[in-house]
Amino acid sequence: MGIGVNQEIYRGYSNRTIPVPILGYHGEKLSISGPFISYQLLALDNISFSAKLTPRFAGFDESDSSVFNGMAKRKDSLDGGISMQLRHKGWRLEADTVFDLLGNSNGRESELTVGYSYIAGVVMIEPTFGISYSDSKLVNYYYGVRPDEATAQRSFYQPGSAVNYNAGFSLSTPIFFGGWTRLGIEHHWYESNISDSPLTDRDKGLSAFLSWSTFF
């Protein structure tokens, strides 16, 4: 079981809560954790390449905030792509590129993440830093305002691509109820193409995730 909470940067839309049932499988190549799926394509020593499927919990409808009145719904989606992961002595370098598979935004996002994990007693700690690139289709779908959606209070807006940053850490431990408990917190910084949208009122936000799982 797991739950995620995102501090949204949309006007009048404070938090998005995402309950995630985590039922999974971990085999030699295939890994499934709730809605997240990866399949290892190639492994060379401490470098691996995988295909991945991951949901995109994003978007809005009119009921989420008054700023969206008269706007078409922006939908959650499913992304698919390729991931490369390098591990060395506790360091983790991961790069991935994913594409919208459902044709909602038709956009693309690439991300590079660096993390370092270490053990403190019965707790594993991993601080991370990441940088991501979202293309103009993705940014425009979730933060743009179409010509037929423009009003006196909400101007037409067609943004370009954006480079965003995040930093965070996770704590993991096996001590509770015979399972594996993980808490993660991230701080996100958004480029001006996103924060200048008439739909947003800030350029940063927090996200957190808490999960517990057992293996059998």
Side-chain angles (χ1 to χ4, degrees):
M1 64 188 76
I3 188 168
V5 179
N6 292 339
Q7 182 185 31
E8 292 292 332
I9 62 173
Y10 290 120
R11 296 179 183 272
Y13 188 178
S14 57
N15 297 308
R16 184 192 307 269
T17 302
I18 307 163
V20 181
I22 301 177
L23 299 175
Y25 167 82
H26 183 69
E28 183 179 352
K29 294 182 180 295
L30 177 65
S31 294
I32 303 172
S33 180
F36 304 94
I37 301 173
S38 67
Y39 185 84
Q40 188 181 92
L41 302 173
L42 180 66
L44 301 170
D45 294 328
N46 56 350
I47 302 177
S48 63
F49 297 86
S50 302
K52 63 183 296 185
L53 291 174
T54 179
R56 180 175 295 275
F57 299 110
F60 54 81
D61 58 34
E62 287 189 88
S63 64
D64 290 325
S65 170
S66 60
V67 75
F68 306 133
N69 289 343
M71 297 188 68
K73 181 178 181 178
R74 305 305 198 261
K75 300 178 181 179
D76 294 341
S77 201
L78 179 67
D79 294 338
I82 299 294
S83 173
M84 183 279 292
Q85 190 173 95
L86 169 65
R87 290 187 177 273
H88 181 69
K89 294 183 178 180
W91 287 96
R92 176 177 62 89
L93 174 67
E94 185 167 355
D96 63 55
T97 296
V98 295
F99 303 83
D100 175 24
L101 299 180
L102 301 185
N104 294 323
S105 70
N106 291 308
R108 171 176 59 90
E109 185 173 57
S110 299
E111 185 168 12
L112 179 67
T113 303
V114 178
Y116 180 76
S117 58
Y118 58 96
I119 305 295
V122 294
V123 177
M124 185 174 73
I125 303 170
E126 184 181 30
T128 60
F129 175 79
I131 179 172
S132 65
Y133 167 82
S134 301
D135 73 1
S136 58
K137 292 180 180 179
L138 184 64
V139 176
N140 190 43
Y141 181 73
Y142 288 112
Y143 300 100
V145 178
R146 299 164 184 170
D148 61 339
E149 297 173 331
T151 66
Q153 292 76 36
R154 186 180 61 221
S155 59
F156 167 69
Y157 188 66
Q158 188 173 10
S161 60
V163 176
N164 307 309
Y165 301 89
N166 65 79
F169 69 93
S170 65
L171 305 174
S172 304
T173 181
I175 66 174
F176 296 112
F177 312 112
W180 189 254
T181 303
R182 181 174 181 269
L183 170 66
I185 299 175
E186 281 191 344
H187 194 285
H188 304 265
W189 293 268
Y190 298 94
E191 191 184 317
S192 58
N193 277 344
I194 292 176
S195 61
D196 288 347
S197 167
L199 304 179
T200 65
D201 60 2
R202 61 177 73 94
D203 63 358
K204 59 181 70 72
L206 288 171
S207 65
F209 182 80
L210 176 64
S211 68
W212 178 87
S213 59
T214 187
F215 303 90
F216 55 89

